[in-house]
Amino acid sequence: MKHTLDDKPRGGRPWSFDRDKALHMAMTLFWRHGYEGVSLADLTKAIGVAPPSLYAAFGSKAGLYKSVLDRYEAGAGYLDVEITNSAGGLPDAVKLLLEAAVAIATRREKERGCMVSTGLITCHPDNDELARDLAMRREKSLQQLADVLARFACGEKTKRIARHVLSVMQGISIQARDGATVEELHEIVDEVVWGLKERFDA
């Protein structure tokens, strides 16, 4: 759906743009270069609008980034935890989750890794609020993993295992950005699963 905004370019015609397309273009840039690696000029050029149009639609660059993260989490970065329904135990569940994380991190050749796992780990103080938003998203992912793995482990052990799995996922994201192959990332998965089998199948 196209959104027409009030500001006008030279010639008097209103600026208009497709919001979904704008979010897709912005996601591509943020995914490749990070939040601080993308300027307002980069965004307006890629989307094809003037800065006032961007601010009218999203409020700010940070507002656009949050909208992009929402889109990413619901689409390209979505981790379907229901895949664990077929797992026969904790190692199988972790294997399925980590293999899904590898697929997410390597699905697109030029946009590798996970935007939420690696987004704004360190940043300019002006972006502290945005960094906290990403930290909250990661905490939400941790709780989601803990809830899923609670079917296979109990008590405090569940949260510890979930934190370990999330840490491995974040490592997979970084390795993928650094150019690790799918095969190499699956070797990481195999090592983690082997360790869990040694611990829980004994």
Side-chain angles (χ1 to χ4, degrees):
M1 185 171 76
K2 282 193 174 183
H3 296 251
T4 302
L5 302 170
D6 292 333
D7 59 303
K8 296 181 180 180
R10 295 175 188 175
R13 209 158 41 107
W15 285 104
S16 66
F17 68 95
D18 185 311
R19 183 182 177 89
D20 287 338
K21 184 178 179 181
L23 286 170
H24 176 76
M25 294 300 298
M27 182 175 73
T28 298
L29 288 175
F30 285 134
W31 200 346
R32 288 182 187 178
H33 308 295
Y35 179 77
E36 293 185 343
V38 179
S39 68
L40 183 62
D42 294 329
L43 291 166
T44 54
K45 180 179 179 181
I47 296 170
V49 296
S53 296
L54 203 65
Y55 286 123
F58 300 105
S60 64
K61 178 186 169 185
L64 172 59
Y65 189 59
K66 288 181 181 179
S67 294
V68 163
L69 288 171
D70 290 340
R71 179 186 178 94
Y72 172 80
E73 289 180 321
Y78 177 68
L79 178 64
D80 182 12
V81 297
E82 297 302 318
I83 58 175
T84 60
N85 290 342
S86 63
L90 180 64
D92 288 341
V94 170
K95 180 179 175 66
L96 290 169
L97 290 168
L98 292 180
E99 286 178 342
V102 170
I104 291 170
T106 59
R107 186 172 292 142
R108 293 167 60 156
E109 183 59 34
K110 292 185 178 180
E111 295 85 42
R112 286 187 141 220
C114 170
M115 288 184 69
V116 177
S117 291
T118 58
L120 283 178
I121 302 298
T122 58
C123 64
H124 190 279
D126 289 349
N127 297 321
D128 280 348
E129 189 277 332
L130 201 53
R132 287 193 295 273
D133 177 80
L134 276 157
M136 289 175 61
R137 291 172 189 264
R138 290 190 287 268
E139 184 64 27
K140 182 179 177 181
S141 295
L142 174 63
Q143 188 56 56
Q144 183 184 41
L145 286 173
D147 291 343
V148 169
L149 295 177
R151 299 198 304 248
F152 307 98
C154 59
E156 287 299 314
K157 186 183 297 182
T158 302
K159 193 67 173 281
R160 292 202 309 270
I161 294 171
R163 193 175 297 280
H164 176 60
V165 171
L166 183 60
S167 297
V168 174
M169 287 180 174
Q170 291 168 339
I172 284 172
S173 175
I174 294 170
Q175 289 287 311
R177 286 191 68 91
D178 286 346
T181 66
V182 172
E183 292 75 17
E184 289 169 336
L185 296 174
H186 277 292
E187 288 175 359
I188 296 172
V189 175
D190 290 342
E191 288 294 325
V192 172
V193 173
W194 177 83
L196 287 172
K197 286 183 176 179
E198 285 289 302
R199 183 176 177 185
F200 291 97
D201 289 353

